[in-house]
Amino acid sequence: MPKSATRRLGWRNALLLVGGYLALDWASHTHPLYGLHVTPWSPAPALGLLFLMRHGGRAAAPLALAILAADAWVREPSLPWLLACGLALQLTAGYWLTAEILRRRLGRKGMVVSQRGLVDWVTITVIGTLLNSLLFIAGLTLAGYLPREAAADALLPYWLGDVVGILISMPLLAMLLDERGRARLRRLLLGRESLSLLATGGVLAVTFVAGEMTEFKYFPVLFLPIAWAAARQGLAGAVLTIGLTQVGVILATHLLGLSPLILRELEVLVLVLALSGFFIGVVVDEKQRLGTELQQTLRLAAAGEMAGALSHELHQPLTALLAYTRACQRLLAQGESGERLRDVIDRVVAESQRAAEVVSRLRDFFRTGTTRLEQIWLRELLSSATSGFAAQAREQGVELVLQLAPACALWADRLQLEVVLRNLLANAFEAAAERPPAERQVHVSAHLDSAGHVCITVEDSGPGVSEEMEERLFEPFHSSKASGLGLGLAISRAIIEAHGGRLWAEAGDRGVFKLVLPVEEKPARDI
């Protein structure tokens, strides 16, 4: 096994494994069966699996010792020492093999973080414990310490005890053994979401009080607080509520004196509730994780779009700086040291400050996504956005028409609106390029409505948008281009909505995109 796959066990972890195994075995020890003291819920193997997954073969000897100690202290079987050692080694080997397979599928920590991981965990655990139980019961039978006619009857409860104990307890134990898992559980216990645990306790009390008279027909009601906790808090919420439910079942077993058959049925119900809660919790965690990743991706993509606009903005001050510095060189060569030189130097300083301001806005956007609102004149905005496509229009033979816009001002982030307009115009040019040269047109227009908004329309002579495309056009990562990421329109809509406006496409035989923005009520000047 690679050294990186496991960590050194250490004597403290070895003591934790042995002590924890004994404590869990003692807490779950309820009903004897054929002198084996098989219980309907056996959580101790879950701890053994986790240590084997984290520490590999280094945890095998302490686990075998823990199994032997539990048999001697908790169950007190009348097995010869040699047979007890052999069975302990057999169980340890079976758990080790199961743990190795789980580690390859789930990772060293044994944390279930995805739906696929949940399915793998359940499947491997069920099959691994079944094979281990078969070998254990076969060993007892061949040694003559279990009647052959009782072997089949003993296999099912022994296997169910391991399956129920591992599947119910392992997620909670995995989180308790992990620093981040403990921190997450601590936040839930100390936060407002801990109310769901109180609700679980109340439902448990009602279930068992009414259960004595109804044969626990109300027990599935426990799914409600479990599902609620999982939906609100993810896997950690499901783990906590399932743990509380299991504690309630064990307490009720001792207080009510439940029979082995009833307890086994209850444990199977707890297992079904647990797997349902874990599935909901994993789905919620996956959704939150993917949402966070999507936001980060959109932000990076938006930063790329912003960088394109900013590079355009930097072009003018950098060009001016180059011209002014050359002018300074000429003036110095001529021996100039008076007003003309000072005037050129002042212009160099002004253009440098302008370039620094542009870079500062890019830095702020990368750090916090900050926007900077300013008064923007609509005609200047549209003229600036379309002027960058004049050369492309000449090269591709596209008729680019900008109609006279209303004399109004907007209160917005100019760079972000230029990103939107550049994106819409780029799409319009690509669509128009599919037509014959004589039919390639892109029109940009704007008009005011009665609600104090301006509607900007970008129309092209391309094939247009179908009703099916209209529904998914603004979804992230949906693109009709082979090389496109499908983020441009999603980012554009997010920018426009952040400015209190709307962006949409109209289905038809021509490409039509419209965006509506609020107009500043009292602009400072007229144009």
Side-chain angles (χ1 to χ4, degrees):
M1 182 185 301
K3 293 183 178 180
S4 60
T6 60
R7 293 186 303 178
R8 183 174 177 270
L9 181 62
W11 64 270
R12 292 184 179 179
N13 283 327
L15 288 178
L16 178 61
L17 171 56
V18 175
Y21 192 99
L22 289 172
L24 290 172
D25 207 48
W26 172 82
S28 63
H29 178 63
T30 54
H31 296 286
L33 179 65
Y34 299 111
L36 302 177
H37 293 254
V38 174
T39 63
W41 172 63
S42 182
L47 184 65
L49 285 174
L50 286 171
F51 271 85
L52 288 169
M53 292 174 67
R54 293 171 183 236
H55 304 283
R58 297 176 177 87
L63 178 58
L65 177 62
I67 294 174
L68 272 176
D71 286 339
W73 177 51
V74 179
R75 293 178 172 80
E76 300 179 357
S78 56
L79 296 178
W81 175 252
L82 187 60
L83 178 60
C85 290
L87 291 175
L89 292 176
Q90 176 263 306
L91 288 174
T92 301
Y95 292 140
W96 189 1
L97 178 60
T98 304
E100 280 298 299
I101 300 174
L102 285 172
R103 184 182 62 80
R104 295 178 183 274
R105 303 298 296 182
L106 303 181
R108 184 175 54 81
K109 292 184 178 180
M111 303 286 285
V112 178
V113 296
S114 65
Q115 299 178 54
R116 176 65 181 271
L118 181 64
V119 173
D120 290 344
W121 171 58
V122 173
T123 304
I124 295 169
T125 300
V126 169
I127 296 175
T129 52
L130 176 59
L131 295 176
N132 217 17
S133 300
L134 279 170
L135 292 175
F136 180 76
I137 297 299
L140 286 174
T141 304
L142 293 176
Y145 285 89
L146 185 66
R148 292 182 180 274
E149 60 274 8
D153 294 334
L155 174 63
L156 180 61
Y158 187 87
W159 172 56
L160 280 179
D162 267 14
V163 168
V164 172
I166 292 173
L167 294 182
I168 291 177
S169 307
M170 190 169 170
L172 179 59
L173 293 174
M175 297 190 76
L176 290 174
L177 292 176
D178 181 69
E179 185 177 352
R180 291 184 179 179
R182 289 194 300 270
R184 187 176 181 186
L185 293 175
R186 192 183 306 115
R187 287 194 299 269
L188 292 179
L189 285 171
L190 299 178
R192 290 181 297 177
E193 297 295 342
S194 60
L195 294 176
S196 63
L197 299 179
L198 297 178
T200 304
V203 174
L204 266 171
V206 173
T207 298
F208 282 107
V209 169
E212 290 187 282
M213 299 176 291
T214 62
E215 297 180 351
F216 302 100
K217 293 180 180 178
Y218 299 137
F219 196 82
V221 176
L222 282 167
F223 179 72
L224 295 178
I226 293 172
W228 170 261
R232 293 276 297 177
Q233 306 155 9
L235 183 61
V239 166
L240 276 178
T241 50
I242 290 299
L244 180 59
T245 301
Q246 185 59 50
V247 170
V249 171
I250 298 303
L251 290 177
T253 299
H254 294 287
L255 295 176
L256 303 178
L258 301 180
S259 67
L261 181 59
I262 293 178
L263 181 56
R264 189 184 307 165
E265 292 176 353
L266 290 180
E267 288 295 349
V268 172
L269 285 174
V270 172
L271 176 60
V272 173
L273 296 178
L275 293 181
S276 302
F278 294 157
F279 179 79
I280 296 174
V282 166
V283 170
V284 171
D285 285 348
E286 273 192 318
K287 182 179 178 181
Q288 292 177 347
R289 184 170 59 253
L290 291 175
T292 302
E293 293 175 357
L294 177 60
Q295 289 178 359
Q296 182 66 14
T297 302
L298 289 174
R299 183 176 172 184
L300 291 175
E305 295 284 344
M306 290 290 291
L310 288 169
S311 65
H312 174 73
E313 290 296 316
L314 283 172
H315 179 73
Q316 285 184 333
L318 291 178
T319 302
L321 280 172
L322 180 61
Y324 292 145
T325 52
R326 286 176 176 173
C328 286
Q329 289 177 333
R330 288 195 299 270
L331 290 174
L332 289 172
Q334 296 170 5
E336 177 67 40
S337 60
E339 187 65 28
R340 291 177 61 193
L341 180 61
R342 285 194 295 271
D343 179 63
V344 175
I345 292 176
D346 288 341
R347 294 186 182 185
V348 170
V349 172
E351 292 298 332
S352 299
Q353 291 176 342
R354 180 182 173 189
E357 177 72 11
V358 171
V359 174
S360 175
R361 294 179 68 174
L362 177 60
R363 181 187 60 198
D364 291 343
F365 181 81
F366 269 110
R367 286 181 176 175
T368 61
T370 303
T371 59
R372 191 170 302 181
L373 301 180
E374 58 181 317
Q375 189 183 65
I376 307 170
W377 300 100
L378 180 62
R379 291 179 180 175
E380 294 177 1
L381 175 67
L382 296 181
S383 176
S384 175
T386 54
S387 62
F389 288 84
Q392 183 177 348
R394 290 191 298 270
E395 293 174 2
Q396 298 181 356
V398 177
E399 181 186 1
L400 176 59
V401 178
L402 172 61
Q403 296 182 0
L404 185 64
C408 61
L410 309 174
W411 190 253
D413 189 304
R414 181 168 58 86
L415 287 176
Q416 290 191 9
L417 291 189
E418 286 190 353
V419 166
V420 175
L421 291 173
R422 285 173 53 244
N423 191 14
L424 295 179
L425 285 168
N427 290 341
F429 269 75
E430 287 189 14
E434 299 181 17
R435 295 294 189 185
E439 300 177 9
R440 298 174 181 175
Q441 296 177 343
V442 174
H443 289 184
V444 180
S445 61
H447 69 274
L448 292 172
D449 60 20
S450 58
H453 292 75
V454 63
C455 178
I456 302 173
T457 302
V458 178
E459 183 177 354
D460 61 75
S461 59
V465 177
S466 64
E467 293 183 358
E468 294 77 10
M469 290 176 59
E470 185 182 4
E471 295 295 327
R472 301 188 58 193
L473 203 56
F474 293 90
E475 293 181 4
F477 305 108
H478 175 74
S479 176
S480 58
K481 308 172 189 176
S483 60
L485 292 176
L487 292 173
L489 289 177
I491 293 170
S492 298
R493 171 172 279 184
I495 291 174
I496 296 301
E497 290 179 349
H499 283 77
R502 294 186 300 117
L503 171 63
W504 72 96
E506 292 185 352
D509 55 359
R510 294 172 64 87
V512 179
F513 286 82
K514 294 185 177 182
L515 62 94
V516 172
L517 290 168
V519 176
E520 187 179 5
E521 295 182 359
K522 295 180 180 180
R525 63 181 175 87
D526 294 328
I527 50 178

